[in-house]
Amino acid sequence: MAMPKLAPVPVANEKLRALGILALNGMFDEMDAVGVLRYAVSDVLPDDLAIVSSFGADSAVLLHMVAQVDPSMPVYFLETGKHFAETLEYVETLKRTLGLSNVRAIHPDPKDITRFDPDGTLWQSDPDSCCHIRKTEPLEPITLQFGGWVTGRKRHQTRERGVLPHFELTADDRIKVNPLAYFTDEDVIAYRNEHKLPEHPLYAKGFKSIGCAPCTSAVAEGEDPRAGRWRGKNKKECGIHYDFNGAIAPAMTAAARHTLWKDGAFIADPFTAFSEDVSPSEARYVHVPLAHFLTHRSDYLANPHPLGLLIAPSDKIEAVEDDLARFASIAISFPAYTDGRGYSAARLLAERLKYVGEIRAVGDVLQDQIPHMYRCGFTALVVSHEPSRQALIEKRLPEMALFYQPVGLTEVPAGTRPFLRRAS
């Protein structure tokens, strides 16, 4: 079930501003994980902190610390639909053993799964996009409800995490707390043995870092513990983390910074900018210009990845009428100071060609255009103009009392003389 879209709460980081990130990190011994967590819960972000846990190989250690400090802390588990059965069993084992009373599962939006991964194989062809729709996108509205969140990341796991501090500030001024930042694999094992914590059922089989089943394999002796994640692919992280050195992934962006408006909110956009440098057979999550698509039509049709189509005002959409179902999204460009052909293009797609995917407006999208865009069939808008963004958020778009272009078969412009109206 998709998580509801919730209103972001103000960031509660006054304590961080008072102390400064460097001073805050200097307050604790490297191995004082419980002290870091307790101070975060009691002083830095009281009642405003959650933990995201994978319930993987090392998760019991951090969750045991959470149980000591505050067993009612919200613990979010990303139920991607691709986990090992052993991981789902482990969730219940740790809840019962540690007394965690507030474990909540987050599921991907079924509409995103149907749209982008209908056969469940996106992990194989495009793991970044699979992580986006199954992890990053579902988690982001949850993290926006808190001033900070706790992670189980550690410096030793990869070279990129080698400068990880106990406390870090994200791009949207929230705080990530990393109590285990300085723990080694040996430290984790020692802690787990000392407190007799249940071991993940797959750990003894060589799975040292455990994520989704299709993208996780066992590691050999001496290998990096995360070598079994996305083995053979140029991928190290799922995209929900932003490290201190910025080398792993972009910061999870606050909703206020998104430009894609859809279903009443600014949301993360899976599509990125198109580049002719990318092979048509390898392109993914881009809006391909119509002319470029026609030039490389056979390659794009054979491409297994999700694609969009970009329509310019002068383009003849009828040229790709038979291929419209290939595209998950069609973007119609609105250059500044142009005519109204973009509106007509949307109507042609929705009314005559019966296209049922996303129709988005891109370019110079302004608030006085938006009501007519909706009338003509647009379902998404890419808006960078700040006053227009605020008008959408505050639901104060201008009303359209008069119009000259009727939509559908029954709408008649106001003021039209009855004897000039065409019979439907």
Side-chain angles (χ1 to χ4, degrees), residues 168-174 242 250-254 257:
E168 58 182 328
L169 194 62
T170 64
D172 58 350
D173 285 338
R174 282 171 168 76
Y242 173 73
M252 189 184 289
T253 313
R257 302 185 183 192

Side-chain angles (χ1 to χ4, degrees), residues 40-63:
V41 169
S42 63
D43 284 69
V44 181
L45 292 166
D47 300 319
D48 199 16
L49 192 67
I51 178 171
V52 180
S53 177
S54 66
F55 284 82
D58 297 342
S59 296
V61 171
L62 183 56
L63 291 174

Side-chain angles (χ1 to χ4, degrees), residues 152-207:
R153 292 176 299 160
K154 308 164 196 69
R155 288 184 166 212
H156 79 89
Q157 288 173 320
T158 63
R159 177 177 58 82
E160 288 78 10
R161 291 181 175 185
V163 294
L164 189 70
H166 281 138
F167 296 90
E168 58 182 328
L169 194 62
T170 64
D172 58 350
D173 285 338
R174 282 171 168 76
I175 304 168
K176 278 189 182 177
V177 184
N178 309 304
L180 304 181
Y182 293 87
F183 271 52
T184 65
D185 195 35
E186 291 74 20
D187 294 326
V188 170
I189 294 172
Y191 187 101
R192 191 167 59 219
N193 291 339
E194 178 184 353
H195 296 279
K196 298 180 173 58
L197 301 178
E199 188 178 89
H200 193 291
L202 294 176
Y203 185 82
K205 298 179 181 180
F207 291 80

Side-chain angles (χ1 to χ4, degrees), residues 355-419:
Y355 175 72
V356 295
E358 176 189 270
I359 302 177
R360 65 166 65 183
V362 300
D364 191 38
V365 178
L366 304 176
Q367 58 183 302
D368 59 344
Q369 300 169 304
I370 293 173
H372 192 47
M373 288 176 172
Y374 284 149
R375 292 176 63 249
C376 291
F378 285 96
T379 57
L381 313 165
V382 175
V383 187
S384 56
H385 182 245
E386 192 58 36
S388 298
R389 289 170 56 81
Q390 290 303 313
L392 282 165
I393 294 170
E394 297 169 13
K395 298 180 180 180
R396 50 176 178 79
L397 293 173
E399 294 185 7
M400 178 176 287
L402 298 174
F403 52 88
Y404 296 96
Q405 184 183 52
V407 170
L409 299 176
T410 59
E411 191 175 273
V412 178
T416 302
R417 294 173 181 171
F419 65 84

Side-chain angles (χ1 to χ4, degrees), residues 252-423:
M252 189 184 289
T253 313
R257 302 185 183 192
H258 294 320
T259 57
L260 177 62
W261 176 267
K262 188 173 182 180
D263 297 331
F266 280 106
I267 61 174
D269 189 354
F271 284 88
T272 58
F274 171 78
S275 171
E276 291 191 22
D277 294 335
V278 179
S279 167
S281 61
E282 295 296 326
R284 62 193 68 186
Y285 287 104
V286 294
H287 287 90
V288 182
L290 186 144
H292 198 271
F293 170 78
L294 291 175
T295 302
H296 304 279
R297 180 176 179 273
S298 59
D299 289 334
Y300 278 119
L301 290 179
N303 181 326
H305 308 303
L307 291 172
L309 181 68
L310 177 63
I311 302 294
S314 59
D315 285 338
K316 303 297 183 184
I317 302 176
E318 295 89 338
V320 292
E321 179 176 355
D322 295 336
D323 301 320
L324 291 177
R326 168 66 185 86
F327 303 106
S329 171
I330 296 181
I332 300 175
S333 178
F334 280 78
Y337 310 111
T338 190
D339 54 38
R341 284 177 290 179
Y343 303 106
S344 299
R347 292 189 58 204
L348 174 62
L349 284 168
E351 295 179 25
R352 187 181 305 175
L353 302 181
K354 307 301 181 184
Y355 175 72
V356 295
E358 176 189 270
I359 302 177
R360 65 166 65 183
V362 300
D364 191 38
V365 178
L366 304 176
Q367 58 183 302
D368 59 344
Q369 300 169 304
I370 293 173
H372 192 47
M373 288 176 172
Y374 284 149
R375 292 176 63 249
C376 291
F378 285 96
T379 57
L381 313 165
V382 175
V383 187
S384 56
H385 182 245
E386 192 58 36
S388 298
R389 289 170 56 81
Q390 290 303 313
L392 282 165
I393 294 170
E394 297 169 13
K395 298 180 180 180
R396 50 176 178 79
L397 293 173
E399 294 185 7
M400 178 176 287
L402 298 174
F403 52 88
Y404 296 96
Q405 184 183 52
V407 170
L409 299 176
T410 59
E411 191 175 273
V412 178
T416 302
R417 294 173 181 171
F419 65 84
L420 294 179
R421 297 179 183 176
R422 293 182 179 180

